[in-house]
Amino acid sequence: MQRRNLNWLIAAVAFAIPVAFALLTNHAWEDYFITLRSSRNLLQGNGLVYNAGDRLHTFTSPLGVLIPALCTWLAGPDHELAALWIFRVFNAALLAATAALLWQRSQSLKLGPVGRFVLLGVLFLDPKLIDFSTNGQEAAILVFFAVLLWSELEAPDGPRARWLAVALGGLMWTRPDAFVLAGAILLPHLWLNRGADGPRRAVLLRGALFGGMLYLPWFAWAWCYYGSPIPNTIMAKAAVEAPRNVLDLLLMPLTLLSSTSHLDGVFLPSYWQLGGWAVCVVNFGHALALAAVFAWVFPQLPAPGRRVSLALFVGALYLSAIHVFPWYFAPWTALASISLAFWADWAWALATNAMSRWARPALMTVCVTTVVFEAMLLACVTWETRVQQRVIEDGGRKIIGEWLRANAAPGDRVFLEPLGYIGYYSHLKTYDYPGLSSWEVVTAIREGATTYPELIARLKPDWLILRPLEIEQQGITDANMRAHYRVAKVIDHARELRAIPFLPGRGWLEFDSQFVVFQRLKSADSEGQPADVKVSAR
């Protein structure tokens, strides 16, 4: 009875943390409104599309667009906040289920109290997991299915094909590139697991086949409906990403050992590279990532810990080959937290058997410091995100979208990079960079129009939404802009952000603090040159 009550308590805490974060921040992620526009079009009878009549696969996650559509239907039209809260509660419940699943499996794997403390503390205080589970992204869904797959593979009596199928099918319904994550988790059980005999391999094969069958309906429908099962979001990003050098991939283990690496985002806040975080914070996050990703090379560690570490190492290969966004890290953070838990448990056993009386207190200090580090990051990100929602989102991008809705003609087209809020609230046809919602932009980029001036000259949008930094970096000048566009509105929150003395992650918020809205002049030459302007970045 006590064990069952403890399990419920852990699940309740895992549920309460994201709900509290959402109450304090009310954060709604930019990309959520991209998928929400498709969700609304589905409910309004326009199809699962971003623009009515334009069958373009403008979202990545099937569940990430279908569940918000259900939430929007339950909340009713024009109740975006209520629909988002339904989605938040659903995701918080999934995190609670994930915590309960981890607790039960850690018991069957005989993970000690210290290891469990590190596992649950590091994972469920991770700011990215908490944020991207409540701001409209699909992180909680992805982590749940990833942990379900890992848990089933580590079951003492062996995995069951039906639950493997649910986990694998669920991963693919969450993200179509999740086969990489699934393969990374499965691979160590074929290599480092000597018990992977014929019957076990047969179960794995059946689970994989049944999981594929669960995903097949969406795969077939998307192919018929959109003309391709590959989301346009993936193809649009691939069109502007430089191909990775094969030598860089081969040298990946060495780059992980450098002072910073692409894997540091596993335990660090979103966009930490843009500044506003102390060097000691970055270094500690780097050290945690190193310990988690290289645990598999130490044969002394328990086999489950080595297997999950190897899965993370395989994931690092994949992450080094793509352009990584913060919400990609959530399932890898889960694997890294499990790896650290087995490190802590193994080290505690050594400290217990050591002759030194300082061994256990020193190790406990390290473990507590690690969990406190994550709690500190979560507190800082909560404040950062609260400011971001109030100043940048509600006071900036949402305002621009609503202003365009009131001032633009229904058939107007707008060129911009931040598609979510502005595209959703403006209801306009969007030419976003790099073309998540627009096949015209993707086509233009593939045909050589890769810069903003080239795209503007080719597409001739009625409106431009540009950051001063973009104007400067794209080499846009003032001479031709006056002949084609006029400044219609300026959003500038730079001074307001500077007035906030304590603001972790300041660089990220400053990046989105200024926007200039340009309107195309009716007298503009339709065959003119690229529209240029020079606005100084503050």
Side-chain angles (χ1 to χ4, degrees):
M1 181 64 68
Q2 290 180 344
R3 182 173 296 180
R4 181 180 301 176
N5 290 340
L6 183 58
N7 203 358
W8 278 106
L9 176 62
I10 290 168
V13 172
F15 178 87
I17 291 174
V19 170
F21 179 89
L23 286 170
L24 290 171
T25 66
N26 201 28
H27 189 212
W29 187 245
E30 166 79 2
D31 286 16
Y32 169 67
F33 287 95
I34 303 176
T35 59
L36 186 61
R37 182 160 158 172
S38 297
S39 300
R40 282 195 63 161
N41 273 327
L42 176 64
L43 295 178
Q44 292 170 355
N46 298 321
L48 194 55
V49 295
Y50 191 83
N51 296 303
D54 188 3
R55 289 195 179 186
L56 195 64
H57 198 163
T58 57
F59 53 89
T60 304
S61 170
L63 291 180
V65 72
L66 294 176
I67 296 177
L70 175 61
C71 297
T72 302
W73 177 76
L74 292 172
D78 299 318
H79 290 83
E80 289 89 354
L81 183 58
L84 179 56
W85 265 107
I86 297 173
F87 193 34
R88 286 168 173 165
V89 171
F90 171 78
N91 285 326
L94 280 181
L95 288 185
T98 302
L101 190 61
L102 283 170
W103 183 258
Q104 291 176 344
R105 184 57 66 229
S106 65
Q107 287 180 318
S108 68
L109 293 175
K110 296 181 172 53
L111 192 67
V114 174
R116 296 181 210 168
F117 169 73
V118 171
L119 169 59
L120 299 178
V122 170
L123 179 57
F124 292 98
L125 291 174
D126 178 72
K128 294 186 303 304
L129 175 61
I130 299 304
D131 188 13
F132 291 113
S133 294
T134 56
N135 63 19
Q137 294 291 93
E138 66 274 3
I141 308 173
L142 195 61
V143 168
F144 172 76
F145 285 121
V147 170
L148 177 61
L149 177 60
W150 170 81
S151 175
E152 195 61 31
L153 290 170
E154 294 292 351
D157 297 330
R160 294 161 293 182
R162 63 180 180 276
W163 288 111
L164 290 177
V166 170
L168 293 169
L171 285 173
M172 293 302 297
W173 271 87
T174 308
R175 285 190 65 90
D177 60 349
F179 66 90
V180 178
L181 172 61
I185 298 174
L186 284 166
L187 178 62
H189 286 267
L190 300 175
W191 183 27
L192 292 182
N193 193 343
R194 295 180 180 179
D197 51 13
R200 183 184 180 91
R201 290 175 185 268
V203 171
L204 297 180
L205 180 59
R206 287 200 304 273
L209 289 175
F210 292 150
M213 292 174 62
L214 290 177
Y215 178 64
L216 184 59
W218 174 266
F219 183 87
W221 179 86
W223 202 332
C224 294
Y225 190 75
Y226 299 111
S228 172
I230 303 175
N232 180 67
T233 54
I234 294 177
M235 293 187 289
K237 292 174 184 177
V240 298
E241 291 178 2
R244 294 297 188 266
N245 190 302
V246 176
L247 181 60
D248 292 339
L249 296 179
L250 294 176
L251 295 176
M252 187 275 295
L254 295 179
T255 61
L256 291 177
L257 294 172
S258 62
S259 56
T260 59
S261 76
H262 63 280
L263 201 63
D264 292 350
V266 166
F267 290 114
L268 290 177
S270 300
Y271 296 112
W272 61 271
Q273 306 93 328
L274 296 180
W277 295 98
V279 174
C280 60
V281 171
V282 176
N283 290 339
F284 196 81
H286 178 69
L288 291 179
L290 281 181
V293 77
F294 285 113
W296 67 276
V297 303
F298 295 91
Q300 307 96 319
L301 289 178
R306 294 184 65 210
R307 285 193 288 266
V308 76
S309 173
L310 180 57
L312 179 63
F313 183 83
V314 175
L317 287 171
Y318 172 64
L319 295 176
S320 66
I322 64 173
H323 184 76
V324 184
F325 294 94
W327 54 95
Y328 290 9
F329 283 111
W332 306 107
T333 300
L335 299 181
S337 300
I338 298 171
S339 177
L340 290 181
F342 279 98
W343 261 121
D345 193 62
W346 174 76
W348 184 257
L350 287 183
T352 301
N353 296 327
M355 299 299 294
S356 174
R357 62 176 180 172
W358 301 108
R360 292 209 302 180
L363 179 61
M364 182 57 68
T365 300
V366 172
C367 294
V368 171
T369 300
T370 300
V371 175
V372 169
F373 169 79
E374 285 296 324
M376 176 202 68
L377 285 185
L378 180 58
C380 290
V381 169
T382 301
W383 171 245
E384 173 197 20
T385 306
R386 182 182 175 90
V387 173
Q388 181 192 26
Q389 186 62 40
R390 176 177 60 84
V391 177
I392 304 301
E393 311 298 12
D394 293 337
R397 291 190 270 223
K398 182 178 178 181
I399 293 295
I400 294 173
E402 292 175 334
W403 185 88
L404 285 173
R405 177 68 172 164
N407 292 274
D412 282 359
R413 303 152 302 157
V414 55
F415 178 87
L416 75 171
E417 184 277 328
L419 174 62
Y421 279 88
I422 299 173
Y424 182 82
Y425 285 102
S426 70
H427 295 196
L428 296 179
K429 166 72 176 179
T430 51
Y431 293 149
D432 71 282
Y433 184 86
L436 305 182
S437 69
S438 170
W439 61 267
E440 295 95 335
V441 174
V442 176
T443 301
I445 290 175
R446 288 176 177 172
E447 293 178 355
T450 58
T451 67
Y452 281 19
E454 292 169 338
L455 290 169
I456 293 169
R458 175 167 175 158
L459 301 172
K460 299 177 179 60
D462 302 289
W463 301 86
L464 309 176
I465 315 295
L466 299 173
R467 302 176 180 92
L469 185 61
E470 291 172 323
I471 296 171
E472 182 177 325
Q473 290 178 341
Q474 291 286 332
I476 299 175
T477 59
D478 183 58
N480 206 9
M481 174 60 75
R482 285 193 297 267
H484 296 280
Y485 289 89
R486 70 175 185 89
V487 175
K489 186 176 182 61
V490 175
I491 293 289
D492 189 349
H493 293 294
R495 181 177 299 178
E496 184 176 358
L497 291 180
R498 287 196 294 268
I500 301 175
F502 176 71
L503 186 57
R506 183 182 297 273
W508 178 23
L509 273 62
E510 288 177 341
F511 178 73
D512 286 322
S513 64
Q514 297 174 300
F515 287 97
V516 183
V517 181
F518 296 97
Q519 183 181 17
R520 187 171 179 84
L521 300 173
K522 294 182 180 179
S523 59
D525 180 7
S526 62
E527 299 298 328
Q529 297 299 314
D532 299 335
V533 69
K534 185 175 182 180
V535 179
S536 61
R538 300 180 185 181

